[in-house]
Amino acid sequence: MTTEDKNVDIRDERMRYFKLNIIVLCCYWIGLVSPPTLTGGFLLQPTEEYPFTRVGVNTFFGMNVIYASQNSLLLATNQDLFRSSDNGETWATIAEPLIYRNITAILPHGDTVYAGTSHGAIHRTTDHGLTWKQHSQPVNSGPITSIFNTNGQIVASSDELIASAPHNGPYAASLLDSTLILQHTSGAQAHIQCTAFVGATAVEIHGSTIFIAVKRAGILTLEIENPTISHVKMDYLEGAFITTLVLQDGYLYAGLKLGQGGVHRKPLAGTSWEPVINDRIAGIVEVTALVANERGVYVASREHGVSFIGRSTQLMRSISDGLHHAIIQTISEVDSMLIVGCRLRGVLRLTKQGRDLAILSDDIPQSPEYMVGTVGRTIVVGFADGKIIQSNNNGKTWDSLPSPFARATLNTIVGHGNVLYATTTSGVWHSSDLGGTWKSLHVNLERENIQKVVVHDSVTIIMTTAKTFLLRPNGELENFDPKIPEEEHPPKIIDAVVYGHKIYGTGYPGFYVSDDFGRTWKSHTISKTMILRTLAITKGFIYVATDMGKILSCPLP
């Protein structure tokens, strides 16, 4: 072939290519063929069965649950709990943290807590720290030292008087400069003056024993019947700056600032001090006030707002953060409300519209971690120590359940029909009598760290840290095998929903659909997305969450 012949062939090929493009463009123009579209940053082909596009502009990390109702979407994440009333276009947090954290006085009553600040304002929560609002403007520029409820009126004081109410006895005590004032319930008073009281920061009275904290000089005791002063043994707290004292359940609590800070306690009948564990509060907590009531001990601090120590616990936890970093893991329907399980905050209730957030029950013990599940109308709560409780009346009363689970082995609790399932670091356990007795779901799973199960009458999907299994009703255990081209890592499902006789799954490397209960699968990948974390289906749409914190949706075919 000559050079001239080759040039003719090249020209003919270019002409054919040009004509083909003209034909395609004409087809697009007259509507015979739909062109590919670029939406939300993803190139979608017209033949794609699940054309996911981005919803809104927000980015969330650690998405665990998308809950869809008829009027709103709820998003449970490690960060917070969010609600959208416009199908995901915009989102807002449901809880509201305390915005000003230098707290100098506290007045608790039930779920309502008033917090006085260093600049004279009062903030209030009516749901034990889930939402905070400013209650009053500053009346002066000085810090509030005490808050009182006088005939229903909340009154703040900034005076220098240090006082203690009667505790297990007829006396109240107060300190002004170097004078101790004792007030008997009969109205009689006694004044005791002593230079050792100069610089006192707190006074507490228990029966006929008075405890007086004096900055770095430790804690003095004074017996009313025999007014001689002695010193409390301070051990590792020797030289610590003590700012406040409180008594509860046979313990003397001391709040510190500077140095190691925090809250420490000793039995009234003992001599050894121990620190109250500071749960997830970074840095030194400079304590400014301690207040005890029937619920526990409340802690005011200079930079960390308000914390709470439950009765019979040695754990101090912030109630200033709303649901920030609470690790919200589950949302379940019980009767007309939603039960929200927070790994690090406990059990909450919420209306199905995503409003009126509240703590479910004051009687749930304080724990470093909580695992929450429901089966029918029964609410089940697991704790970090392996214990389990249940309630059949929306949290009004609780019963303990037998538990085969050791400390820190419980991952999740879910219900299906009348059966309760517990995923653990050593397999899946199930109970047909609401936790009365437990059995292993399958012996071959007992060495697996199970993160989640999705149960259906036709198949149970079991998700571990490394892979996914399918368990048939006849006991046959299968590996999840979607038969897709070789990937860098084995394919796995992280979350799944059974909807309309199909299984929809999210995981690596994308979105899975099965119309025969997991015997065969179709996989769908999304450009620039490696992992999908969770999903929800509502009002004809599928919502998925990506590992990069984006929410996508597509019409349900």
Side-chain angles (χ1 to χ4, degrees):
M1 182 181 290
T2 65
T3 302
E4 184 177 350
D5 291 335
K6 289 181 179 179
N7 289 336
V8 171
D9 286 343
I10 292 172
R11 285 196 299 272
D12 289 344
E13 183 65 28
R14 287 174 176 171
M15 183 59 68
R16 282 194 296 272
Y17 180 76
F18 177 74
K19 289 178 179 179
L20 177 62
N21 276 277
I22 291 295
I23 293 171
V24 171
L25 288 173
C26 288
C27 289
Y28 289 162
W29 181 61
I30 64 177
L32 295 178
V33 177
S34 299
T37 59
L38 187 65
T39 307
F42 300 102
L43 184 62
L44 309 174
Q45 298 298 331
T47 57
E48 175 58 58
E49 187 177 5
Y50 296 93
F52 283 101
T53 58
R54 186 171 182 182
V55 176
V57 297
N58 297 83
T59 299
F60 306 94
F61 291 100
M63 287 185 277
N64 297 318
V65 179
I66 302 173
Y67 177 85
S69 68
Q70 292 302 312
N71 300 314
S72 62
L73 291 174
L74 296 177
L75 183 63
T77 76
N78 292 349
Q79 295 174 297
D80 217 314
L81 180 63
F82 301 89
R83 178 181 61 233
S84 173
S85 56
D86 54 11
N87 296 320
E89 291 299 321
T90 59
W91 295 85
T93 57
I94 296 176
E96 296 182 43
L98 179 63
I99 58 174
Y100 192 85
R101 298 300 180 94
N102 192 343
I103 304 301
T104 53
I106 305 174
L107 176 63
H109 179 69
D111 284 339
T112 299
V113 180
Y114 294 90
T117 69
S118 62
H119 70 306
I122 296 177
H123 295 256
R124 183 184 70 170
T125 175
T126 58
D127 49 25
H128 212 247
L130 296 176
T131 54
W132 288 88
K133 303 285 186 183
Q134 185 163 325
H135 177 72
S136 68
Q137 297 291 333
V139 294
N140 55 54
S141 59
I144 293 175
T145 56
S146 56
I147 306 173
F148 304 96
N149 186 338
T150 304
N151 298 324
Q153 186 76 23
I154 301 302
V155 179
S157 172
S158 297
D159 61 39
E160 299 296 325
L161 184 69
I162 301 168
S164 171
H167 188 91
N168 195 31
Y171 293 98
S174 58
L175 270 168
L176 186 61
D177 297 326
S178 61
T179 301
L180 174 66
I181 305 167
L182 292 177
Q183 179 81 41
H184 194 272
T185 52
S186 65
Q189 278 191 356
H191 292 244
I192 303 173
Q193 192 169 24
C194 181
T195 56
F197 301 157
V198 175
T201 53
V203 58
E204 276 292 299
I205 186 167
H206 178 77
S208 61
T209 303
I210 302 170
F211 298 89
I212 301 170
V214 187
K215 294 185 178 178
R216 295 186 183 276
I219 301 173
L220 310 177
T221 62
L222 178 67
E223 294 294 333
I224 296 175
E225 305 301 330
N226 180 21
T228 57
I229 296 174
S230 59
H231 289 77
V232 174
K233 184 180 179 182
M234 300 306 296
D235 293 331
Y236 67 91
L237 295 181
E238 196 69 43
F241 195 119
I242 301 173
T243 57
T244 180
L245 299 172
V246 79
L247 291 155
Q248 189 172 69
D249 297 333
Y251 280 90
L252 175 65
Y253 289 80
L256 277 60
K257 77 172 186 178
L258 307 175
Q260 57 189 307
V263 179
H264 307 258
R265 69 179 191 176
K266 66 174 286 293
L268 288 175
T271 59
S272 298
W273 288 87
E274 60 184 5
V276 174
I277 298 169
N278 184 0
D279 188 43
R280 296 187 304 278
I281 304 176
I284 296 172
V285 178
E286 294 198 35
V287 179
T288 57
L290 295 174
V291 177
N293 72 353
E294 71 284 349
R295 195 165 183 169
V297 174
Y298 292 82
V299 184
S301 62
R302 183 180 175 189
E303 295 180 350
H304 299 280
V306 182
S307 299
F308 175 68
I309 306 167
R311 301 186 82 153
S312 304
T313 69
Q314 197 182 340
L315 186 69
M316 179 173 70
R317 177 170 292 164
S318 172
I319 61 168
S320 300
D321 298 325
L323 292 178
H324 189 54
H325 294 312
I327 308 184
I328 300 98
Q329 290 187 311
T330 58
I331 301 176
S332 309
E333 291 187 25
V334 174
D335 292 338
S336 60
M337 64 180 177
L338 300 178
I339 301 299
V340 181
C342 305
R343 188 90 179 188
L344 303 182
R345 188 69 165 84
V347 191
L348 312 176
R349 58 177 171 81
L350 193 64
T351 62
K352 288 188 177 180
Q353 291 73 35
R355 303 183 186 279
D356 300 326
L357 183 69
I359 293 171
L360 177 65
S361 171
D362 298 342
D363 296 326
I364 297 175
Q366 207 165 3
S367 171
E369 293 186 57
Y370 304 82
M371 285 61 68
V372 184
T374 59
V375 52
R377 298 183 67 251
T378 300
I379 303 167
V380 183
V381 183
F383 302 100
D385 60 4
K387 294 179 181 177
I388 301 175
I389 60 174
Q390 70 167 6
S391 174
N392 299 312
N393 52 14
N394 294 336
K396 294 182 177 64
T397 59
W398 295 88
D399 299 312
S400 296
L401 295 178
S403 173
F405 312 116
R407 179 180 295 273
T409 63
L410 203 55
N411 287 327
T412 62
I413 299 173
V414 297
H416 177 72
N418 294 320
V419 181
L420 199 59
Y421 295 83
T423 68
T424 74
T425 55
S426 55
V428 185
W429 298 77
H430 66 113
S431 172
S432 300
D433 53 6
L434 293 178
T437 56
W438 294 88
K439 295 180 181 179
S440 174
L441 187 63
H442 198 286
V443 65
N444 291 346
L445 295 172
E446 292 180 8
R447 293 189 177 183
E448 299 286 348
N449 186 347
I450 312 297
Q451 298 296 301
K452 190 173 186 178
V453 294
V454 174
V455 185
H456 186 270
D457 292 340
S458 299
V459 66
T460 298
I461 306 169
I462 301 156
M463 290 148 272
T464 77
T465 52
K467 51 190 173 182
T468 306
F469 297 96
L470 303 173
L471 181 64
R472 302 296 171 185
N474 63 1
E476 179 185 354
L477 188 67
E478 306 169 3
N479 286 309
F480 170 65
D481 182 12
K483 294 181 171 56
I484 61 176
E486 190 68 26
E487 293 283 343
E488 183 178 355
H489 303 285
K492 65 175 293 188
I493 289 177
I494 299 174
D495 196 9
V497 170
V498 181
Y499 188 89
H501 303 291
K502 287 186 178 182
I503 300 175
Y504 298 88
T506 51
Y508 173 84
F511 185 69
Y512 297 98
V513 182
S514 173
D515 57 10
D516 55 8
F517 294 108
R519 299 192 183 280
T520 61
W521 295 87
K522 291 182 181 179
S523 63
H524 304 265
T525 57
I526 300 174
S527 175
K528 299 181 181 179
T529 301
M530 293 294 293
I531 299 174
L532 298 179
R533 290 181 59 93
T534 188
L535 76 161
I537 299 176
T538 183
K539 293 185 288 188
F541 278 85
I542 304 172
Y543 293 87
V544 298
T546 76
D547 61 330
M548 298 303 294
K550 299 174 183 177
I551 298 176
L552 315 177
S553 75
C554 76
L556 184 67

